[in-house]
Amino acid sequence: MEIREIYLNLKRDVQKVSDFYARFNLRLEGDVDYLIAVYENDVIAGVGGCAGNVIKGVAVDESFRGANLFGTLISELVSRNTACGYGNTFAFTGPCNDKYFLASGFRKLEDSSGKVSLFEKDKKGIDKYLSSLKPVPGERVAAMVVNANPMTRGHEYLVRTASEENSVVHVFVVSEDRSLFAADVRYQIVAQTCAQFDNVYVHHGAEYMVSGMTFPTYFLKDSDDINQIYTILDARIFGHYIAPHLGITHRYVGEEPLDPVTAAYNRTLQQVLPEFDVEVCVIARKKYRDEVISASRVRQYIREGRIEELEAFVPQATYDFLSSDDAAEVIAKVRQSDSRH
Amino acid sequence: MEIIKTATAGSLESSDVLVTVHKADDLEIEIDSTVMAQFGRQIKNLVEATLEQMGVSAARVVVEDKGALDFILKARLEAALFRAAESTDYSWNRGGAS
Amino acid sequence: MKLRRTMMYVTGNNAANVKDPQIYGADSLMFDLEDSIAVANKDAARLLVYHTLSTIDFSPCETVVRINGLDTPYGHEDLRAMVKARPDVIRLPKTETADDIKEVERIVSELESEYGYEQGTIKLMAAIESAKGVLNARDICVASDRLIGCAIGGEDFVTDIKTTRYADGVELLFARQMIIVACRAAGIYALDTVYADINNEEGFRAEVEHIKQLGFDGKSIIHPRQVRIVHEIFAPSEQDIDHAVRVLEGVRRAREKGLGVITVDGKMVDGPIIDRAARVVAMAEASGIKVEG
């Protein structure tokens, strides 16, 4: 048994691994930082990879008897992750592989209708995250999860509404660094803007706010609704761990008249969260001159170089950032991209 | 010795032990063993003694034991600690790698 | 008379393997820190072998550690750790010149001093794995009093001379013979290379017969089931044992009478013949055969 890295820039390696995946009706996941394969006598017996500290793309040929292929693969992935400096390793997997991750010392966090399970290597990972979130007593505790890429007056309006309607509000900023605006910048802006409300507390989402951006899909069928599956997972983790810890009973989201993906996201939350005694409050979006203020609209203005005109759309903290030298890189990135995010 | 990052050593194979060391504010030791009832206490003692020998006063040490003998646990723990401290200051002469 | 019919490789970073390899009955155990250990685990392997050797008594097996070369980032630390742990022998890979051995000897000597061990406690072994090494075998074999033997590293050697290993071993013939001759001239042991295909018993037996014929003292082993086969093939015949016992008896009588020349059955008997007789008796006894005298 030998472990070799798949060189993703070499056609021969990519072909070998695609052929391997195809045998199990799986797709080669595009979004991986690296892929490794376990070879038995020069033949690929198993493959697995990582994107950041998330294990993905794991597939093993079970016909190779007597070798602990899965265990070896996962151990190697965790080892490499740790050597990269990650304190924890996560894995999304089809439930048929649950037993392997459990045997490799992972803890199962949640699953999504039997389609996807989320595991973490550090059995106290989520406990440590929760202990960093201080519960604040209040008669009615609410929460919202925002990407805020960048934060707009629309986000601010949602926070203000929640602040007025609840004793305590917890705002989680998604920590995934796949958005145009870096996670720490987004967090700072949200924290600065929310300071005006004395009952609002801002937190990092860390790895426990599942985002569709790193969500692996290679083991799902074409007919599966990927967005719904990861939204259910995200909602279940929120409902199972975060809501009870902070005493959250209400989750605030902005109404989504335009984007079908976000609209579906809201609908799924409304289906899942009541199971955890959390009510979803859908708030109509703030408008500016009859148009909904959205982060994508703000990015459009940035693309068109109309930053001064943004004052009406974004809170002071966002505007200050965009006018600063630090924003030059982000503005350039926005100009070059045309992604939804 | 100061722990500055997360590191692991060993494996979950039979007779071995996987030791993970994380940076922490004080000393936390978590042990999970296939022979917990008989050897849990002994494992904890060995971990504590090794940490003291190596001058580690703050770390979170997670031990996943699959029936490793004492000297194997010591070897894996020391390896994880040196990696977590990014240190190569082995002192073989002092009766231990500390 | 130390027998080295089998030297079994033990992967230095494998807990299940290092804790009780002596149960397989090999004459020597070689704990590997070199080629079987991934770069990322060199440190962990070193610590595991260090603690293993410092804790467990592997007798009657001889303990050998294959360190990384001194030209790698690991070799020097390996020596510091392993001299302290005191295996019987330290094996240096990819030995090309007598100076390679002298350099290791110098460091081992210093370390023995530092650790308060008697000078000469730890022996050395050289692995010859390249064309240059083979040509220098003669000088390598006499480079140090600590050197107890040489091994040939077949896989690396054939790569160096730009061929691959074949079943009949013709490509290794010259190297094997050169090393045997150099070892014999120096009066030290000669050990053959590994046979990688653990499922091919027939092929393995053929190779063992071949290297026994060439004159090797033993073979490097990578799987327990190879041990038994080598010991079987190297076991002396009844005739060999008979003759060996007579030779040793002849020696005993000559010594008793204070004679300068030893004769057995009318023929003069000298060093190499006596050595061989001792070796045959040792192998017979190791195979569980009762030998009188």
Side-chain angles (χ1 to χ4, degrees):
Chain A
M1 226 194 309
E2 208 193 305
I3 303 241
R4 293 182 213 164
E5 189 171 337
I6 301 284
Y7 291 128
L8 296 167
N9 60 328
L10 288 184
K11 283 206 189 83
R12 51 177 58 224
D13 268 15
V14 171
Q15 188 58 52
K16 267 195 218 145
V17 104
S18 300
D19 289 344
F20 181 78
Y21 276 126
R23 285 165 47 200
F24 306 96
N25 294 317
L26 300 173
R27 287 182 294 278
L28 169 57
E29 191 86 40
D31 179 28
V32 280
D33 291 340
Y34 66 85
L35 263 187
I36 58 172
V38 181
Y39 279 77
E40 275 279 12
N41 297 324
D42 278 329
V43 173
I44 296 184
V47 188
C50 278
N53 65 351
V54 180
I55 289 178
K56 330 167 126 182
V58 178
V60 161
D61 183 347
E62 312 220 341
S63 68
F64 283 89
R65 303 230 157 274
N68 180 18
L69 285 173
F70 225 101
T72 305
L73 199 51
I74 294 173
S75 291
E76 179 69 20
L77 290 168
V78 171
S79 225
R80 284 178 184 235
N81 255 12
T82 312
C84 286
Y86 294 114
N88 198 356
T89 299
F90 292 83
F92 292 97
T93 181
C96 54
N97 291 331
D98 276 9
K99 57 185 184 290
Y100 296 118
F101 281 93
L102 289 169
S104 291
F106 278 70
R107 169 191 181 166
K108 180 166 172 174
L109 287 170
E110 257 300 340
D111 71 62
S112 174
S113 327
K115 296 259 185 197
V116 181
S117 303
L118 174 61
F119 284 87
E120 65 173 349
K121 182 72 181 79
D122 184 349
K123 291 190 172 118
K124 292 226 173 131
I126 187 138
D127 302 300
K128 299 230 158 232
Y129 173 64
L130 290 177
S131 63
S132 74
L133 305 174
K134 304 269 171 288
V136 179
E139 221 186 285
R140 194 176 122 142
V141 181
M144 70 186 66
V145 178
V146 299
N147 196 12
N149 185 36
M151 187 180 198
T152 68
R153 290 243 182 246
H155 295 107
E156 192 187 19
Y157 173 70
L158 188 61
V159 177
R160 174 173 289 114
T161 308
S163 170
E164 284 163 7
E165 295 177 4
N166 298 275
S167 334
V168 173
V169 180
H170 293 282
V171 175
F172 294 88
V173 181
V174 173
S175 299
E176 211 86 70
D177 238 334
R178 302 289 174 127
S179 310
L180 290 164
F181 286 75
D184 55 344
V185 168
R186 292 186 283 107
Y187 177 87
Q188 283 310 320
I189 293 174
V190 171
Q192 278 165 36
T193 308
C194 291
Q196 64 187 286
F197 308 108
D198 60 15
N199 64 342
V200 174
Y201 302 85
V202 182
H203 312 284
H204 294 279
E207 287 107 337
Y208 302 98
M209 307 274 150
V210 177
S211 155
M213 285 174 278
T214 53
F215 191 71
T217 58
Y218 66 103
F219 51 78
L220 297 174
K221 306 193 191 359
D222 288 325
S223 55
D224 286 327
D225 181 344
I226 291 163
N227 291 314
Q228 187 180 48
I229 291 172
Y230 85 73
T231 305
I232 291 175
L233 186 59
D234 186 40
R236 293 189 65 83
I237 291 169
F238 180 84
H240 185 163
Y241 296 98
I242 296 164
H245 177 74
L246 292 173
I248 294 167
T249 50
H250 292 77
R251 169 106 172 233
Y252 279 64
V253 295
E255 185 184 34
E256 184 45 67
L258 299 173
D259 178 26
V261 172
T262 311
Y265 177 83
N266 289 349
R267 267 199 309 277
T268 303
L269 288 186
Q270 286 172 300
Q271 281 159 13
V272 176
L273 289 178
E275 185 192 323
F276 300 94
D277 296 324
V278 174
E279 191 187 315
V280 178
C281 306
V282 184
I283 307 298
R285 296 259 196 163
K286 175 163 184 155
K287 288 186 182 163
Y288 180 73
R289 295 189 190 151
D290 282 335
E291 259 193 77
V292 159
I293 301 174
S294 69
S296 47
R297 196 160 163 230
V298 166
R299 290 193 296 273
Q300 187 54 35
Y301 272 59
I302 296 175
R303 218 167 268 131
E304 293 167 10
R306 296 156 69 183
I307 295 181
E308 316 73 44
E309 292 177 58
L310 282 175
E311 256 195 296
F313 297 106
V314 301
Q316 195 61 43
T318 306
Y319 187 73
D320 287 343
F321 173 74
L322 288 171
S323 315
S324 75
D325 296 327
D326 296 327
E329 203 187 312
V330 173
I331 291 175
K333 268 204 272 182
V334 173
R335 291 237 171 89
Q336 278 170 8
S337 89
D338 56 7
S339 80
R340 277 188 66 243
H341 303 282
Chain B
M1 182 179 270
E2 201 200 324
I3 304 302
I4 57 180
K5 64 177 200 186
T6 301
T8 63
S11 77
L12 291 172
E13 306 202 1
S14 183
S15 299
D16 203 349
V17 53
L18 182 67
V19 179
T20 308
V21 173
H22 300 274
K23 187 176 154 99
D25 294 324
D26 27 49
L27 221 46
E28 295 167 52
I29 300 174
E30 293 160 38
I31 297 170
D32 178 39
S33 169
T34 48
V35 283
M36 196 66 183
Q38 307 92 306
F39 295 110
R41 179 80 246 167
Q42 186 173 326
I43 294 172
K44 185 142 193 274
N45 290 341
L46 180 51
V47 172
E48 284 171 345
T50 306
L51 287 171
E52 192 179 321
Q53 205 176 25
M54 289 184 67
V56 176
S57 51
R60 176 174 161 232
V61 179
V62 181
V63 174
E64 293 169 83
D65 173 52
K66 299 291 183 187
L69 295 169
D70 275 4
F71 67 90
I72 293 177
L73 173 54
K74 196 161 199 305
R76 295 336 202 167
L77 176 54
E78 287 177 359
L81 288 169
F82 276 108
R83 287 174 174 178
E86 283 188 351
S87 160
T88 50
D89 192 16
Y90 307 105
S91 316
W92 309 104
N93 200 13
R94 279 182 254 150
S98 43
Chain C
M1 160 115 285
K2 176 70 195 151
L3 283 179
R4 292 190 177 92
R5 298 163 296 172
T6 44
M7 185 169 292
M8 192 164 93
Y9 281 28
V10 180
T11 307
N13 196 34
N14 188 313
N17 287 4
V18 303
K19 70 178 178 28
D20 55 13
Q22 70 275 34
I23 63 180
Y24 301 110
D27 290 332
S28 304
L29 300 170
M30 191 197 83
F31 295 86
D32 188 27
L33 302 178
E34 203 226 1
D35 278 356
S36 70
I37 309 295
V39 164
N41 286 321
K42 297 283 188 193
D43 59 340
R46 186 189 301 125
L47 276 162
L48 186 59
V49 174
Y50 169 82
H51 281 290
T52 302
L53 292 175
S54 304
T55 311
I56 307 281
D57 176 11
F58 290 99
S59 34
C61 298
E62 175 180 58
T63 52
V64 181
V65 176
R66 180 167 73 174
I67 59 168
N68 289 280
L70 294 186
D71 56 344
T72 68
Y74 321 104
H76 284 91
E77 197 69 64
D78 285 346
L79 273 181
R80 281 195 280 276
M82 293 307 131
V83 173
K84 184 67 168 64
R86 265 191 300 192
D88 295 312
V89 183
I90 286 179
R91 175 164 154 167
L92 183 71
K94 303 173 172 56
T95 309
E96 297 212 304
T97 65
D99 281 342
D100 289 341
I101 294 297
K102 289 190 160 80
E103 177 62 8
V104 174
E105 179 180 43
R106 187 187 65 74
I107 298 172
V108 170
S109 230
E110 258 170 37
L111 289 168
E112 278 176 345
S113 229
E114 191 186 320
Y115 296 148
Y117 295 159
E118 194 186 312
Q119 280 296 310
T121 303
I122 296 178
K123 307 295 176 218
L124 298 176
M125 209 175 138
I128 294 177
E129 316 185 57
S130 67
K132 191 169 168 191
V134 169
L135 289 179
N136 288 331
R138 178 180 165 182
D139 293 332
I140 289 169
C141 286
V142 295
S144 163
D145 285 340
R146 295 177 189 254
L147 198 72
I148 49 105
C150 278
I152 171 170
E155 209 48 63
D156 284 3
F157 175 76
V158 299
T159 304
D160 194 43
I161 63 165
K162 303 195 200 295
T163 181
T164 60
R165 291 195 62 176
Y166 286 71
D168 66 3
V170 168
E171 71 289 348
L172 283 176
L173 193 52
F174 174 72
R176 279 173 162 150
Q177 291 188 305
M178 181 76 150
I179 286 168
I180 287 169
V181 164
C183 285
R184 296 300 175 230
I188 62 176
Y189 285 83
L191 204 64
D192 189 44
T193 187
V194 304
Y195 186 86
D197 189 353
I198 57 181
N199 294 315
N200 185 354
E201 185 174 319
E202 209 183 296
F204 181 66
R205 282 181 174 276
E207 182 160 300
V208 177
E209 296 279 7
H210 173 63
I211 60 114
K212 177 186 170 194
Q213 180 183 359
L214 289 180
F216 277 99
D217 291 295
K219 194 161 178 60
S220 302
I221 297 297
I222 56 169
H223 192 278
R225 74 168 86 107
Q226 292 179 331
V227 174
R228 187 188 47 82
I229 296 173
V230 174
H231 289 184
E232 192 192 298
I233 291 172
F234 270 73
S237 65
E238 199 45 50
Q239 212 176 5
D240 292 335
I241 298 172
D242 250 0
H243 181 72
V245 170
R246 291 190 70 73
V247 166
L248 293 179
E249 177 59 20
V251 171
R252 194 191 63 77
R253 289 179 180 206
R255 292 225 169 108
E256 213 175 51
K257 295 180 191 156
L259 299 176
V261 173
I262 306 164
T263 54
V264 175
D265 296 334
K267 294 211 188 91
M268 251 180 25
V269 156
D270 60 359
I273 294 177
I274 299 171
D275 270 351
R276 181 169 62 188
R279 200 163 61 242
V280 166
V281 168
M283 278 204 267
E285 284 173 343
S287 302
I289 300 170
K290 286 237 173 293
V291 177
E292 60 179 318

